[in-house]
Amino acid sequence: MIIEPIVRDLLGRKFLKANSITKKQMSELLTEEKAAGRLPDLGPDRILCCEDLIRALFPLLKRIAPEPKQGWARYVLDATLGQLFPGEKGVQESREGRLARHVILQAIRTFLALPGCSVPGGEEQIRFLDSEEVALCSGRGEYQRLTQYWEQHYLNEFMLLYGEVTGYNILGHINGVHRIAVAIGRQLSQAGVPIDKALVSGAAAGHDIGKFGCRDSENQRIPYLHYYYTDLFFKTNLMPIIGHIATNHSTWDLELENLSVESLVLIYADFRVKGGRDAQGKEEIRIYTLDESFHVILRKLDNVDDAKRKRYERVYAKLKDFEEYMKGLGVSTDPEDPVLRPASRTFEPLLNSEGAIRRLKDLAIEHNISVMKLFNDEVAFGDLLEAARSEKQWKQVRSYINIFYEYFTYMTQRQKVMTMNFLYELLMHREGDIRRLAAELMGMLLAHFDEEYRKELPSGVKPISGEISAAELCEEYFSRIVFPEHKVTENHRRWIGYTWKIIINTLLNRVPKAERRKYLEMIVGFYRRGILDDPTAFILLDSMLYLPLQDCTGEEQRILLEFCFSLNGRTSDEIHLGILRVLEHYVKSFPAEKIPPKLAEQILQTTLALPEVYTGSLYLKYQILSRMDYLPEELEKMRSRMYGTGESASDLFLENLKVGTPWIIKAVNIEYLLERLRLGRREETLHIATHLSNLLKVSERVTVRHSAGKGLTYAIGLLTLDQRNEIVIELTKGLEIGEYQFSKYIPEYLGEIALFLHPNELDELIAHLGKLLESRNERIASVTLNTIGVLLTHYPVYKNRFYEDQLAFSGRRELLAGLLLRGLANYDPLVSQEAFHVIGKYLFGADSLDPEEKNTLFWLIYKKMLTLITEREESHLEFFNNAAALNHLYRFISDYSILHGGFQYPENHRIAFFS
């Protein structure tokens, strides 16, 4: 008779219900004389062989259904694979075949549950979390769905049989990864790290399930293709969060800027569990230390060249940092001894250089984990958006935008949509810079909206798409920006519309070239619309300057120019200037001989027909006509009218300073003034530079301020040293106004043009900045810190500009770095927060500074900086600000360590304490 435990389980209510068979029917099958079989001999070690067990069940199986051609073991595998990945394996299963398969799998499950029974190699079954642990996890819904699926489909038993038949011990690998991940997850939770143990366990259990989905023709590419099938499995079975972590468990996923702690734990565990072959060719699974595993992988890697080795060293370094962070918390990474131990902590000022750098890394990882936890929780993320929405201070809103900018790549599509709604509201913010930042981030979100599939795709398949595509979202927001709803005021309507150019410029620069076409077609579609009012027509004209005309087809270029020609009859001066700017942009983009004759004729006619109300109009017409090989004598007359006298320049100064002059006229006037300087009108240089300085300080429009600032960085180099000093003093006075909405634009340009001063005058400026830093007005202190940050960012050019000796050059850099630390030590949290923001963004987040320059600055400030940022309590917003700054620092530390083998700083062993 078949052993009693098997009979008991096959007659159990759960088994009968799952297989739609009555107890009476099952009893008849089991009590038939022919159903009895000889049980396999487990031997003294009680090791189960699945094939032997199936043979013992032959009489019962024969009673249920005829034996398949491929045999029962192979049939069980094929049919289960067909359930895991419907349509991939194509197995048609009858009701009787399904019952027979479940009998085999249930018998394996029953045998494994017998006391002392084990399997070859001694691999345990995956042990999921108990219900009490799961109840405390936010991912419990998906986890319960996974464990139910796991049990109902006999996945443990299936993988055990799979390993026995094929020789691939996937169960052993998964179990090893799961053991490490869960052991670490539990300890991290005990240590106070916000980790979801259910997500860790679920992702670890399912991270390689995609290997069963690979088709026979893909066997050679399983290591590269199984991520796709893992993603397919979890999305099909409504477990997207676990699936996201499980799918992104490749070592190369560590190259992503920000990962959740659950992802880090899974990648770490997977990195340490490796398989090998014994003398008989059987796969053995072994858990290595992190260092051992790194060397094992390097030996196995395909085509390891220097670039690939460096790439692997980079991701290994990130894992090593994570391991050191865990050990610092007292976490044991040994699965045989998973016990959290009391963590020892050294007071920051007593750390040596290695310990201080280690602590900075730990702080970055700790902040990153907390932020990513928030991004993984829909409710918490919604609360963050609401907090940002209710914030009134400009600087605080900027901090929220910085956080979204830093972490947007890890947002889900739903979170990106939520963020887009918030950013759209910011397009009506009274501060121009907030509108610009929001627009730029909207462009980034649209460019990266579709979940980027970084893995290799099986042939003939496409990445699994979300509920809405980036193109659909683009269409929606482009319409809302160009044609806002009627409830929006005229002023807000213009503010919203002017951001379209920033959004499309960011989008087109960020999307892959292959996708740029569809977005260009969509944008050009807005120029096919019918009659538009003047404000909307002007917004479309202004945005056209940001389109890459070379990437547009001939037909698209024709549509864009026809749009300009159609506006020729409008009476608005802004429209007229807008048309001329577009035509200038077009003729600058293509040589005259490449422009179709018909279009060239229309451009000439339109240009000549437009009135010359402003000097800027005449300047733009001259620029267009000179590139169209217009009549030389007519061009000379125009040139004479523009540059013949000095009066027009002073007229422009008055025009630009009038509040009622449209911003586009001011912007064109600035272009014209700079053109005068390029043509050698050097006697006007000081007047023009002073005028640009005034515009930068007082202009209402952000666009005009930035145009003036950029022009000033060109003009300053044409001035004498005395004149330069005069301009810098005037701009520095602008910092002292205390009105942040005016002074906040000055540092970006003052920090750059100050480096044109003579060393003596530059030192005087730095001394003055030091006094401004002591101001009790936090707005003055903040813009001073920004100026110092820009100074340090561009400072390397100064040495060659004035051929200064190294000692003076280095001393000044040290002084500037010291001023930033003074800001960081300020009692006012807003000033301190701004100082750390400047250190992160301007110094270590700057692409313009080379690694050695950053290293010099890091050596000057790292120890004091660490002490200052750890000694004060972080507010909610300060935490986010610090997280972004620490991310910049961490990237620098990691990159420099890999490129230069670490930091070699002298140690100061003489430490004195004063009461």
Side-chain angles (χ1 to χ4, degrees), residues 764-808:
E764 287 177 14
L765 171 68
I766 293 169
H768 186 59
L769 291 176
K771 290 176 183 175
L772 291 182
L773 202 54
E774 295 167 3
S775 170
R776 292 185 179 183
N777 185 329
E778 57 92 8
R779 295 168 184 162
I780 294 175
S782 293
V783 290
T784 304
L785 286 166
N786 278 275
T787 306
I788 294 165
V790 177
L791 262 169
L792 278 168
T793 303
H794 296 279
Y795 188 61
V797 304
Y798 194 70
K799 188 175 182 183
N800 292 331
R801 194 169 279 165
F802 285 95
Y803 301 101
E804 197 175 32
D805 69 85
Q806 184 62 42
L807 194 63

Side-chain angles (χ1 to χ4, degrees), residues 748-763:
E748 182 179 346
Y749 303 103
L750 175 58
E752 199 171 339
I753 66 171
L755 294 171
F756 284 87
L757 295 176
H758 185 275
N760 294 338
E761 290 162 347
L762 178 59
D763 290 337

Side-chain angles (χ1 to χ4, degrees), residues 892-907:
F892 159 70
I893 292 170
S894 297
D895 290 346
Y896 192 85
S897 297
I898 289 161
L899 289 171
H900 301 277
F903 297 86
Q904 308 297 324
Y905 296 155
E907 298 291 352

Side-chain angles (χ1 to χ4, degrees), residues 380-398:
F381 184 80
D383 291 343
L384 176 66
L385 277 175
E386 284 308 309
R389 202 172 256 121
S390 59
E391 185 55 65
K392 301 302 178 192
Q393 285 196 32
W394 179 89
K395 288 180 62 127
Q396 312 296 54
V397 176
R398 186 196 66 184

Side-chain angles (χ1 to χ4, degrees), residues 63-135:
R63 178 75 176 161
I64 296 170
E67 184 178 359
K69 290 179 183 177
Q70 68 267 49
W72 281 114
R74 190 74 244 186
Y75 170 78
V76 169
L77 298 183
D78 291 345
T80 306
L81 288 170
Q83 283 203 319
L84 285 171
F85 297 94
E88 295 295 330
K89 300 299 177 182
V91 174
Q92 296 295 323
E93 190 174 34
S94 65
R95 180 174 176 274
E96 294 76 16
R98 181 173 180 272
L99 175 60
R101 177 166 62 89
H102 282 181
V103 165
I104 292 170
L105 293 169
Q106 182 61 53
I108 295 172
R109 177 177 292 177
T110 302
F111 256 70
L112 287 175
L114 293 176
C117 185
S118 63
V119 297
E123 286 86 5
E124 300 176 19
Q125 296 187 74
I126 292 170
R127 301 190 184 281
F128 289 105
L129 306 180
D130 57 45
S131 55
E132 288 79 10
E133 272 188 295
V134 175

